[in-house]
Structure formats: C-alpha cells, structure tokens
Amino acid sequence: MAAPSKVVVGSQVWLEDPEVVWIDGDVLEINGDNIKVKCSTGKEVVINASSVLAKDPEFPAGGVDDMTRLTYLHEPGVLQNLKSRYDADDIYTYTGNILIAVNPFKRLPDLYTKEIMTQYKGASFGELSPHPYAIAHAAYRQMVNERISQSILVSGESGAGKTESTKNLMQYLAFMGGRPSSEGRRSVEQQVLESNPVLEAFGNAKTLRNNNSSRFGKFVEIQFNDSGRISGAAIRTYLLERSRVCQVSDPERNYHCFYMLCAAPPGESENPKSTLKLGRLWMLLGINSEEQDAIFRVVAAILHLGNIEFGKGSEPDSSQPKDDKSNFHLTTAAELFECDRTALEDSFCTRVIVTRGESIKKCLDPTAATISRDAFAKIVYSKLFDWLVNKINNTIGQDSDSKFFIGVLDIYGFESFKTNRCLTGTL
C-alpha cells in the first residue's frame, strides 16, 4: 500500500477522489514533495507525492482472475480489477484460495447449470474460471482425500449475495455427494435446500441495502459417510436480530412473515396459510396443519402486541391498557396465545421480585410496561424461530455415525443503520 518508490514525470498513479474514491492520472511536474497530476477526467491537481499509489501501465483490459497476479495489490488496484471483470459479467475473482464475489444484481443462469458443475468436478483448483463450485469441489476433495472435515465461510456486506452463494455451494455439494433420486424418498440435500424459503420468511427482512437480508447467522453442516455420500445434515442458527421485531428504522421492514400474513386478500383472512406461499414446503419439512395454525397464531399475536399502548393506572407509578383499542388488541393477543388475558396484562404492567421467603409484585409505569411488552414479543418470536429450526432438523435427520462433514457458514451482513442496534436488544 506504499506510494511509488520513485515518482517521475510520466508515471501513472492513483489518487483519492471524493466522488469516485480513486481516480487515475499522469504525473506532469515534480516540485519537491509535491507533484502535479493530470487526472483521467482532465482536471489537474497538486498533491503530496506520499498520497498517491502506483498504477500498473500494463494492466490487462479484462483484468486478472487471481488478485495475487496484480502488479500492485493495493485498494485502487483491487477495485480496478474487480470493476473490469464485473463489466464483463465475470463476477467471481480469486485471491489465492479465497473467492471474491460481486453481486451482479441480475440473473446469470448460464453460470449455474449441471453442465458447469460437471466441468468443475474433474478440474483442479484454479484450472477453470473462479466459481463457488470450485471452492465447494476443493472442500469436498480435501475431505475425501485427507479424511478431515471442512468448513467454508461466506462473509461480506449486506446485499453482497452471501445467501445466494451459500445456495450455490450447497447445490454443488449435493451434486457431488448426493444420492440418485431413484433410491426413494427425498434426499437430505433436497430437504436442506427446501428449508431456505421457510427460514428466509421468518429470518430475513428488507434493509436499506438489501430487500432480502438475512438477519441471523446460519451454519449448515452437511454430513457424509465413509464413502463420501451425504448421510445427514443439521442447520444451526444463532444471533437472530430480535430487536427488529419491535424497532425498525424507516424505510426498513420487519421480518417477511409479518407482511406476508397481513397480505391475505378479502375472504382469506381467516385462513392465512396460502399468503405465505409455503403450503407445500410446510408438509415437506414435517410441519403438519395443526402446527401451521399455531405458527400463524403466534405471528398474528405478536402483531397485536405491537398495537397495545399503555397509560397511567389507578395506582401511583402503575399502568394499564390506554384505551378500548389497546384492550381489544390485548384480548385478541391472549386468545391467539391461548392464555389468560389478566395474566398477560400482568406480565406487562407488573414485575415480580422474589426475595427470601416471599414474592413482591411491583407496578410498572407506562414506559416500563412498553419495554416489558417489547421484551416479551422478542422472546416469543425468538422461541418460534428456534422451534422452526429444530423442527426442520428433526425432519432432515442427523447422522450420528457420520465420518466427516462440510460446514457452510453464512454470516449475516453488516450495515450502517440510522439507529444501530445490537442483535439481541436495544443499545
């Protein structure tokens, strides 16, 4: 990242620009520590020589498929290479054995066909163009040859395409280690892939930079038997962004399932299953009709909780539902939760302090009651999400006798929010 060791007139350099981050130019004059640079936009600037970085005058027009081959491996050099390849729809680039993916924000179906998978199946790493299939193939071969479990980490900014890349990795592992459909029931890898829409409905949300942002971390463990065939799987989730259930910065949204439930057309509001478009998947993942009804009741109840407002109660520093509207939503939530209405109200408006030998009930003011309501909603939603994951895992089935596994970690993306929140509560 250092400046050129020797700047001479005619040198090509990179300098920082407030609009395009980095801009290239030619050195026109050198006056001590200062140099005059004519930028590619035509403007001329005088800048300290220590503030510029060298540009490779022989950089190929289409870039290079491995960053380690760049003459200058600094920020502008990396960005120039990624942009050159992106412009040619080459969205994947290596940096050694690391794969960098740039979201094309359009469909490139020819990149993910079975024919492409077949090509990577017989190729050494780096022999073909950079691709998630190459990463998955390298992990699979290393597992089989060295008899050691492997893991693949998928990380980056929100909207970078991590979840889609994870799906591509899973598809290739299923291609390599899956069993033929003629062997009977749906395979483990099919069930894992089929679980994605359900997890996305309850764990993804629209953010500033991504309309389908994963707000939880997911580690998919694909288990293999001694011959390298998939024998089981487990999905482990963690750090669900519970605070999103109650606090959303405009113009972001809450989790998809809330909006899908509210989208029920007239006449279907009493039977909202169809609105989530997950009817077939519910059954494939072992979630029966009774359990589906319970899921929808919980989601609807959480929506009603959000409409409960609290006002001052009859006692000092106490609270109660603010008006008839709040009482209606409290009653409805209690019915959906199938719990006692008074007990539910007490859980928001009072706090029980247990001391040695006795329990003391303390009233909460409206502000504290609202905080208690939000905490309750976050915990209930988190428990629902955990239940869904456990149900999916039980349906897929884990192989306690598996010899090895390949884990794929899809870590949630990072963003700079208007109001930054921790993953389990409000900062």
Side-chain angles (χ1 to χ4, degrees):
M1 295 296 292
S5 57
K6 184 178 181 181
V7 178
V8 298
V9 173
S11 295
Q12 295 185 5
V13 295
W14 291 102
L15 58 156
E16 291 188 81
D17 183 85
E19 295 184 3
V20 296
V21 185
W22 291 97
I23 192 169
D24 60 330
D26 298 318
V27 177
L28 297 179
E29 298 177 9
I30 301 177
N31 297 307
D33 292 336
N34 294 327
I35 60 175
K36 178 185 284 189
V37 179
K38 183 175 183 179
C39 302
S40 56
T41 56
K43 68 177 180 180
E44 296 182 2
V45 298
V46 176
I47 191 171
N48 191 285
S50 63
S51 300
V52 300
L53 297 173
K55 179 186 177 184
D56 181 11
E58 298 180 357
F59 178 80
V64 296
D65 61 7
D66 192 332
M67 297 286 200
T68 60
R69 292 167 48 197
L70 290 174
T71 302
Y72 300 108
L73 191 57
H74 48 42
E75 182 177 309
V78 168
L79 294 176
Q80 180 190 27
N81 189 57
L82 292 176
K83 184 180 186 304
S84 298
R85 292 180 58 76
Y86 180 85
D87 291 341
D89 283 342
D90 292 325
I91 62 172
Y92 298 115
T93 307
Y94 289 130
T95 300
N97 60 357
I98 298 173
L99 180 69
I100 298 176
V102 182
N103 193 336
F105 293 101
K106 64 180 180 181
R107 297 289 181 184
L108 299 173
D110 293 340
L111 276 179
Y112 311 105
T113 64
K114 196 166 185 177
E115 291 73 19
I116 298 295
M117 284 192 272
T118 302
Q119 293 177 23
Y120 281 88
K121 182 177 181 179
S124 302
F125 188 82
E127 181 180 341
L128 299 177
S129 300
H131 201 288
Y133 293 162
I135 299 294
H137 183 77
Y140 181 82
R141 281 301 169 202
Q142 194 163 356
M143 179 195 70
V144 171
N145 295 336
E146 300 184 11
R147 321 296 284 177
I148 299 175
S149 296
Q150 306 290 314
S151 287
I152 302 172
L153 170 64
V154 185
S155 181
E157 289 189 355
S158 182
K162 296 179 300 302
T163 299
E164 291 301 317
S165 292
T166 298
K167 293 176 185 177
N168 294 330
L169 293 167
M170 297 288 298
Q171 288 167 350
Y172 188 84
L173 293 176
F175 172 74
M176 291 294 293
R179 62 187 176 192
S181 57
S182 59
E183 292 186 17
R185 65 182 181 86
R186 285 163 36 257
S187 62
V188 168
E189 60 274 13
Q190 285 177 310
Q191 290 175 302
V192 172
L193 293 172
E194 287 165 354
S195 71
N196 280 326
V198 175
L199 292 178
E200 289 182 6
F202 289 85
N204 287 23
K206 178 182 177 181
T207 65
L208 290 172
R209 302 178 60 178
N210 186 356
N211 287 342
N212 189 35
S213 177
S214 300
R215 306 318 303 161
F216 66 101
K218 178 173 66 175
F219 183 77
V220 182
E221 183 181 295
I222 306 298
Q223 300 159 345
F224 296 83
N225 60 23
D226 197 50
S227 59
R229 304 300 293 274
I230 294 176
S231 58
I235 299 174
R236 312 189 194 285
T237 61
Y238 50 91
L239 296 177
L240 176 72
E241 190 182 42
R242 296 192 300 179
S243 58
R244 183 170 293 270
V245 176
C246 305
Q247 296 170 322
V248 181
S249 301
D250 185 65
E252 294 190 356
R253 301 203 325 175
N254 209 320
Y255 291 105
H256 295 327
C257 61
F258 294 110
Y259 301 90
M260 298 164 82
L261 185 65
C262 291
E268 293 188 19
S269 57
E270 296 180 0
N271 182 25
K273 297 177 186 178
S274 62
T275 65
L276 264 68
K277 310 298 182 185
L278 299 173
R280 175 177 174 271
L281 292 176
W282 288 129
M283 304 309 295
L284 294 178
L285 296 174
I287 301 174
N288 60 40
S289 180
E290 183 179 347
E291 291 168 333
Q292 293 172 45
D293 290 336
I295 291 170
F296 289 118
R297 286 201 308 272
V298 171
V299 175
I302 293 174
L303 286 174
H304 283 284
L305 290 180
N307 291 327
I308 301 173
E309 297 182 51
F310 298 96
K312 291 183 178 181
S314 56
E315 300 293 329
D317 295 326
S318 66
S319 60
Q320 63 184 20
K322 184 178 180 180
D323 48 30
D324 290 342
K325 178 182 176 182
S326 294
N327 273 305
F328 166 78
H329 289 293
L330 177 63
T331 301
T332 304
E335 292 173 353
L336 291 168
F337 281 135
E338 297 184 355
C339 70
D340 182 74
R341 181 198 183 282
T342 302
L344 185 61
E345 180 180 345
D346 284 347
S347 70
F348 302 146
C349 299
T350 62
R351 181 177 63 183
V352 177
I353 302 173
V354 179
T355 62
R356 183 175 298 177
E358 63 176 332
S359 297
I360 302 173
K361 181 181 287 189
K362 181 181 183 299
C363 293
L364 299 177
D365 61 29
T367 300
T370 301
I371 294 174
S372 180
R373 176 206 64 188
D374 290 350
F376 180 84
K378 288 186 285 188
I379 291 173
V380 169
Y381 190 80
S382 178
K383 294 293 185 182
L384 172 61
F385 188 77
D386 290 343
W387 182 89
L388 281 169
V389 174
N390 289 333
K391 189 70 177 181
I392 291 170
N393 281 331
N394 290 335
T395 301
I396 294 174
Q398 301 185 48
D399 180 12
S400 58
D401 298 321
S402 66
K403 301 299 181 181
F404 321 101
F405 71 84
I406 294 179
V408 181
L409 176 62
D410 179 7
I411 195 70
Y412 49 83
F414 48 89
E415 297 187 41
S416 179
F417 295 102
K418 183 176 181 180
T419 302
N420 288 313
R421 302 179 299 272
C422 64
L423 294 171
T424 56
T426 304
L427 288 174

